[in-house]
Amino acid sequence: MERKRPRRTRERILETSLALFNRFGEPHITTADIADEMNISPGNLYYHFRNKDEIIGELYAALEARVAPLFDWPSGREPDVEDLWFMLHALFEGMWAYRFFYRDVVDLTSRNRRVALRFAELSRRGEATVIELCRGMVAAGTMQASEREIAALAHNVAIVATYWMSYQRTSHPPPPARPAGDDSQPSLGTAAYQVLALIAPFALGDARLRIERLGERYL
């Protein structure tokens, strides 16, 4: 039987940091906390990462690598609501895996210009993908919207998707009895539907019916 390759210290630092950031929030975790959780010296951690911002940069790169391929939509066929549903659900799965970033996105991007620029570009790609999907649905006769409406719709989709987790956390705070750091996953299907609900008024026929059925399922 082939033995698994031991994880390198650098990989373990990233895995531990992600787990702690997701559970307690990035502002509440220091490099000393990460080293202590791993049972390594701070000097060992600093050998691999000079500061916490470098760790955040690496984690953001991993997030981007997971999410960006969802915006490379294949050509050759007209998109439908199912395509939008799949993309949104996969998007929210990736966002949940790196949820610390979206919960403190304003603070993190204000501190790290490189991450801010990359995230802005990723957001633009996401909006462009929604625009192309909507245009495809209009061409297929399953959606009726002008170019101005599609552009505004894509922008609103980006806003809701980016800040949904922050809203969910502030509008549905955990009960006092829940242990500190307990981080239960919300319904990602509900998140995807909230975005599709923006598109519903422009959808026609079976596409509109499909969105309504998703609403009945998740709300």
Side-chain angles (χ1 to χ4, degrees), residues 4-179:
K4 290 185 178 180
R5 179 179 62 85
R7 290 177 301 163
R8 296 181 300 155
T9 301
R10 183 182 180 86
E11 294 170 347
R12 291 178 55 225
I13 291 171
L14 292 172
E15 291 174 4
T16 302
S17 299
L18 178 59
L20 291 175
F21 290 168
N22 279 345
R23 186 178 181 188
F24 298 105
E26 179 272 333
H28 304 293
I29 298 298
T30 65
T31 52
D33 294 325
I34 298 167
D36 185 60
E37 180 74 12
M38 296 178 62
N39 197 27
I40 63 174
S41 68
N44 194 351
L45 185 148
Y46 290 132
Y47 175 78
H48 298 279
F49 297 97
R50 291 179 297 176
N51 51 51
K52 193 168 68 166
D53 274 352
E54 283 195 356
I55 296 175
I56 291 168
E58 288 280 343
L59 291 176
Y60 175 77
L63 163 65
E64 188 178 88
R66 177 166 178 171
V67 169
L70 298 173
F71 301 147
D72 295 329
W73 199 254
S75 58
R77 66 177 180 83
E78 300 294 352
D80 56 27
V81 169
E82 294 294 337
D83 294 320
L84 280 166
W85 170 254
F86 172 79
M87 184 190 76
L88 290 169
H89 208 284
L91 174 64
F92 278 111
E93 286 179 348
M95 291 171 62
W96 178 256
Y98 295 86
R99 54 194 173 277
F100 82 91
F101 180 80
Y102 289 92
R103 287 174 176 169
D104 293 292
V105 63
V106 175
D107 179 58
L108 289 170
T109 52
S110 66
R111 283 166 28 201
N112 191 318
R113 177 169 171 76
R114 186 167 182 269
V115 167
L117 292 173
R118 291 180 63 174
F119 182 65
E121 176 59 26
L122 184 68
S123 297
R124 284 191 290 269
R125 286 185 60 189
E127 286 192 43
T129 299
V130 173
I131 288 173
E132 291 306 310
L133 288 172
C134 288
R135 285 173 175 168
M137 291 179 65
V138 169
T142 58
M143 182 175 181
Q144 184 174 3
S146 67
E147 280 293 309
R148 172 181 282 184
E149 289 170 330
I150 289 174
L153 181 58
H155 192 60
N156 289 336
V157 165
I159 292 172
V160 172
T162 299
Y163 295 103
W164 182 83
M165 287 187 185
S166 293
Y167 174 79
Q168 179 74 10
R169 191 171 181 83
T170 55
S171 62
H172 299 82
R178 182 178 293 178

